[in-house]
Amino acid sequence: MCFADVRERLGARPVLVTMPGEDGVLLDVVRETSIVFESDDGRAFRTREVAAVDRARLEEAHARLVEACADVDEEVLAAFCKGAPVEPLALERALRKGTLERELLVVLRGSALANRGIQQLLDAVVAYLPAPADRSDEPLTALAFESVADKNAGLLTFVRVYAGVLRAGDEVRLMPRDVRERVSRMFRLHAEQREEVTETSRADAAPR
């Protein structure tokens, strides 16, 4: 039902990366292993071989995953055509490529209430979603979310950059008023400290 909704409402191609198994285990479709949770809060877990009862379903899901990755990645396609096994790292690279190109939509199974599969979800965010630097070459997209009066600098506008690069001296288009204004000076704020910069991008907000 969820897959059908993704296809119909979003027009996307969902790809299953983790799925439920018997006895409360989580099946890793990329690595073809089982994830067993060892605590009630879901924080402690370990991997093990897939039980016989889950093997057929996992193999079917893995085959669909490889096929989807073959459509976006030449290395996976070559292995797929030869009938050769595809290494998990190659599948992860293909999934990331398909995600960045908006060809694939990674789907994971989990439960926030039981805290099951949350670590795998966070790992998938790091592995497959675009990093801040991946958006630096795109057209500027930013949100001016607050303006305050400063006794020394006049009106300060706080900006969050989502894509592209914002530079001092740039003329930017403001929506929805559809007017243009020039960026005179830019500062990076650290509490009461103010550091003047000539440009900023989403990558500047990434952890270091």
Side-chain angles (χ1 to χ4, degrees), residues 142-155:
L143 173 66
F145 59 91
E146 184 178 1
S147 293
V148 297
D150 183 89
K151 62 181 180 180
N152 297 318
L155 186 66

Side-chain angles (χ1 to χ4, degrees), residues 14-193:
V15 181
L16 196 61
V17 172
T18 63
M19 59 187 291
E22 295 293 332
D23 299 325
V25 304
L26 188 65
L27 302 178
D28 186 331
V29 182
V30 175
R31 296 172 181 80
E32 295 186 279
T33 58
S34 289
I35 301 170
V36 182
F37 296 94
E38 298 181 314
S39 62
D40 292 337
D41 61 8
R43 296 184 180 182
F45 57 87
R46 60 182 174 86
T47 59
R48 72 178 186 191
E49 292 185 2
V50 178
V53 68
D54 291 321
R55 173 55 61 182
R57 291 177 55 248
L58 181 60
E59 288 178 351
E60 181 182 352
H62 184 76
R64 290 197 297 266
L65 172 65
V66 171
E67 184 178 351
C69 289
D71 288 342
V72 299
D73 186 90
E74 293 184 358
E75 179 184 346
V76 178
L77 176 61
F80 177 75
C81 292
K82 295 177 182 178
V86 183
E87 294 295 323
L89 286 178
L91 290 175
E92 288 182 341
R93 286 195 298 268
L95 287 169
R96 177 174 172 78
K97 182 174 183 290
T99 301
L100 295 180
E101 295 175 354
R102 300 181 181 179
E103 295 292 334
L104 303 177
L105 186 84
V106 173
V107 177
L108 296 95
R109 179 264 190 185
S111 170
L113 181 62
N115 202 26
R116 301 291 178 93
I118 305 304
Q119 181 62 55
Q120 288 70 35
L121 173 63
L122 296 176
D123 290 343
V125 168
V126 175
Y128 305 128
L129 295 186
D134 295 325
R135 292 292 180 255
S136 294
D137 294 333
E138 295 188 357
L140 175 65
T141 303
L143 173 66
F145 59 91
E146 184 178 1
S147 293
V148 297
D150 183 89
K151 62 181 180 180
N152 297 318
L155 186 66
L156 291 178
T157 300
F158 293 85
V159 176
R160 180 180 293 114
V161 178
Y162 291 100
V165 179
L166 179 64
R167 298 179 176 88
D170 282 352
E171 185 179 73
V172 297
R173 182 183 181 188
L174 304 181
M175 300 296 291
R177 291 184 294 148
D178 196 18
V179 297
R180 292 185 175 274
E181 291 192 10
R182 187 170 301 278
V183 180
S184 56
R185 301 172 68 187
M186 300 197 319
F187 301 92
R188 182 179 293 116
L189 301 181
H190 305 276
E192 297 297 325
Q193 298 180 358

